[in-house]
Amino acid sequence: MLAKHSKNKKISDKAFITSGKAKLAISKYGKENVINATLGVLYNDLEEIYTFDIVDQEYRKLSSQDLYGYASSITGDENFKTSVKKIVLGENIESNFPNIYTDVISTPGGTGAIYNTFKNYIEYGDKVLLPNFMWSSYKLISGEAGGGYDCYSLFDSKNNFNLLSFEKKVLELSEIQKNLVIVINDPCQNPTGYTLTEDEWEKIMDILKRACKKTNIVLLNDIAYRDFDNKALEFKNIFKDIPENLLIIIAFSISKSFCSYGLRVGAQLALSSSHRVIEQFREASAYTCRGIWSNVSRAGMQMLSNIILNKNKYLELKIELDKSIKLLKRRSDIFINESKDIGLKILPYKSGFFITIPFKKGIDSKVSLELEKKNIFALVMEEGIRIAICSIPSHKFKGLASKIKEVLIEIE
Ligand SMILES: Cc1ncc(COP(=O)(O)O)c(C=O)c1O
């Protein structure tokens, strides 16, 4: 019955499957004896979902009209758009981003922002450029939008961002594609917790400006975890002197930064030096919104605007975010220090929800099996184990690195 293009659609979301196994193990062996490090959801040290008081209060205060009504427009409420610009680009946008046009389109989460971007900028059959360590949904979303993917190596042998590999792939694909969509997930990259330095960003932008001489470039910066890096770079320092055929789209989401995963609110924020490019972005994105999900949760957008457009409430949110950053830092410190002590190699973590332990290709199923025997449930990727430090209570970290090392020594 399926249409030809849908015949091979089979989703095997490893993170959700492993999380299901973890829940089963908890019911068998008890919560204290199981480590569930699978999902990118922040939990407190009692293993309950982490919430921000200000978000909870503002959401519960919404009127029936806001809770149950349609959004005022397909592309999002005006206050929401202003708020997203404020969160992402800061104040004084016109003076900080001279000669740059911007627009915001509301989407269901960051996923919607990524889909909308892929759908309208990947030519059918073309490849989107991704890092080899990545949030694997990018591949699926590209497939759903009619594209494929290619990868560059995220790190070089010294564990620095692999500019050479990035440049090689960018230039290679710019020779053969009319449009090239490139995903950067920064800061707090999923799954490594890596954050690019300002110098690396500058070099990336230089490469993209060179590639623009050959093809149109769409840089999609997925900032799903940005608020968990309190030293996040300001975009005004990196997005300047942008050629007309370099479109920057920032994928924004409230899932992580408002601890509001189920509200399904996000946005595309586009920046371009061409008015026409922004107009086309607005028109095509609105069309896709209407054709796929119609409009985004009015309640989620209103809650966000009520906080961001009120100085004191925004400050409260920042204070609560800061507490959660400190919690993640305490957890990552324990894991990183123990890893150093016992000689367990990890990929360069700076901040965020995840830490990755690399291993050689071809042993992933064995690694999953052996970890699960020890009641450790994590996302085992092709070349690494992603530990979601966001979901493990601090007291369960002691000894975790050692157990992982035992598994890898046994298999490698
Ligand atoms: C890197 C990254 N980008 C985007 C998302 C999308 O999240 P959502 O669609 O819930 O906003 C996630 C969720 O896990 C993610 O890890």
Side-chain angles (χ1 to χ4, degrees):
M1 282 296 285
L2 287 168
K4 220 181 347 187
H5 63 85
S6 290
K7 288 231 158 84
N8 294 323
K9 279 186 183 173
K10 249 189 205 119
I11 180 165
S12 151
D13 195 310
K14 265 193 183 173
F16 279 94
I17 293 170
T18 314
S19 173
K21 287 186 187 169
K23 281 179 193 145
L24 223 99
I26 288 170
S27 64
K28 229 169 158 181
Y29 305 107
K31 195 164 99 175
E32 272 321 298
N33 301 309
V34 175
I35 290 185
N36 186 359
T38 48
L39 295 183
V41 174
L42 187 59
Y43 282 89
N44 64 21
D45 278 343
L46 298 171
E47 293 189 67
E48 296 157 342
I49 194 154
Y50 199 105
T51 52
F52 294 140
D53 291 343
I54 185 72
V55 169
D56 193 43
Q57 282 159 22
E58 289 303 314
Y59 190 72
R60 287 175 197 275
K61 268 202 268 178
L62 292 174
S63 66
S64 298
Q65 180 64 32
D66 283 336
L67 284 171
Y68 305 111
Y70 279 130
S72 62
S73 125
I74 299 297
T75 59
D77 300 335
E78 280 312 311
N79 277 343
F80 172 75
K81 294 183 185 188
T82 308
S83 305
V84 171
K85 283 192 194 176
K86 188 170 170 182
I87 298 171
V88 181
L89 303 178
E91 306 280 356
N92 309 321
I93 296 173
E94 275 172 25
S95 55
N96 284 332
F97 295 88
N99 310 316
I100 294 283
Y101 300 92
T102 61
D103 206 358
V104 175
I105 302 284
S106 65
T107 58
T111 304
I114 297 159
Y115 176 76
N116 244 7
T117 306
F118 286 3
K119 180 75 186 166
N120 290 314
Y121 292 96
I122 298 177
E123 289 288 350
Y124 200 77
D126 270 2
K127 290 172 179 168
V128 58
L129 184 59
L130 304 169
N132 61 333
F133 286 100
M134 70 175 107
W135 182 49
S136 65
S137 297
Y138 296 132
K139 298 191 230 173
L140 196 120
I141 303 170
S142 176
E144 193 60 10
Y149 66 94
D150 199 351
C151 296
Y152 62 92
S153 296
L154 183 59
F155 300 115
D156 62 18
S157 56
K158 289 187 182 141
N159 263 348
N160 293 318
F161 181 74
N162 198 333
L163 272 163
L164 277 180
S165 173
F166 179 76
E167 180 175 18
K168 185 167 170 276
K169 284 287 177 187
V170 169
L171 298 180
E172 220 172 86
L173 289 169
S174 344
E175 292 286 350
I176 48 177
Q177 294 189 182
K178 207 172 117 253
N179 267 12
L180 175 57
V181 179
I182 298 165
V183 177
I184 300 251
N185 170 208
D186 186 77
C188 315
Q189 202 247 6
N190 177 1
T192 63
Y194 188 68
T195 293
L196 292 161
T197 62
E198 191 160 340
D199 183 51
E200 285 166 336
W201 258 115
E202 272 167 15
K203 289 182 173 134
I204 286 172
M205 292 309 288
D206 282 346
I207 293 169
L208 300 188
K209 284 174 192 172
R210 262 189 287 134
C212 268
K213 298 199 169 103
K214 305 213 160 118
T215 193
N216 298 323
I217 300 283
V218 178
L219 169 64
L220 177 67
N221 185 18
D222 177 354
I223 60 161
Y225 299 89
R226 184 169 186 250
D227 289 317
F228 295 92
D229 178 354
N230 45 17
K231 292 188 215 93
L233 280 178
E234 289 195 49
F235 289 126
K236 67 175 187 212
N237 297 342
I238 31 184
F239 297 151
K240 43 192 181 191
D241 306 321
I242 301 171
E244 289 207 350
N245 65 336
L246 168 53
L247 170 63
I248 295 162
I249 298 181
I250 294 169
F252 166 82
S253 165
I254 72 163
S255 293
K256 323 285 168 174
S257 48
F258 283 66
C259 294
S260 299
Y261 316 86
L263 279 182
R264 310 310 302 139
V265 172
Q268 295 168 284
L269 194 171
L271 296 99
S272 170
S273 56
S274 159
H275 187 243
R276 178 84 194 109
V277 167
I278 288 294
E279 265 179 9
Q280 289 172 337
F281 161 81
R282 184 182 309 126
E283 274 164 26
S285 305
Y287 188 101
T288 309
C289 294
R290 189 66 176 117
I292 307 276
W293 52 71
S294 179
N295 64 115
V296 167
S297 152
R298 172 177 179 140
M301 288 193 283
Q302 191 61 48
M303 175 273 288
L304 175 132
S305 311
N306 288 352
I307 295 173
I308 303 303
L309 301 180
N310 176 300
K311 208 170 145 201
N312 291 335
K313 290 177 187 170
Y314 194 10
L315 190 67
E316 261 184 70
L317 176 72
K318 285 185 176 166
I319 292 169
E320 292 202 60
L321 266 164
D322 204 53
K323 276 190 202 153
S324 66
I325 293 176
K326 288 194 174 109
L327 174 69
L328 288 167
K329 171 99 176 75
R330 278 200 300 279
R331 293 177 183 174
S332 61
D333 278 353
I334 307 173
F335 190 80
I336 292 169
N337 288 336
E338 188 178 318
S339 299
K340 262 190 208 145
D341 288 346
I342 61 163
L344 175 71
K345 200 172 141 199
I346 60 172
L347 292 177
Y349 172 88
K350 301 264 178 76
S351 47
F353 279 30
F354 311 104
I355 292 181
T356 288
I357 300 111
F359 55 68
K360 60 172 197 235
K361 259 188 185 166
I363 58 167
D364 48 321
S365 358
K366 271 194 194 155
V367 172
S368 302
L369 210 70
E370 292 307 314
L371 285 176
E372 285 169 19
K373 280 188 195 160
K374 290 183 189 290
N375 273 339
I376 298 170
F377 296 86
L379 178 68
V380 177
M381 305 167 292
E382 215 182 357
E383 294 177 80
I385 307 163
R386 185 190 78 173
I387 299 291
I389 61 165
C390 53
S391 62
I392 314 173
S394 308
H395 70 274
K396 283 193 185 171
F397 275 86
K398 205 165 175 295
L400 177 59
S402 307
K403 285 185 191 155
I404 294 171
K405 191 176 177 199
E406 278 167 30
V407 165
L408 291 180
I409 285 179
E410 219 173 277
I411 298 171
E412 280 188 322

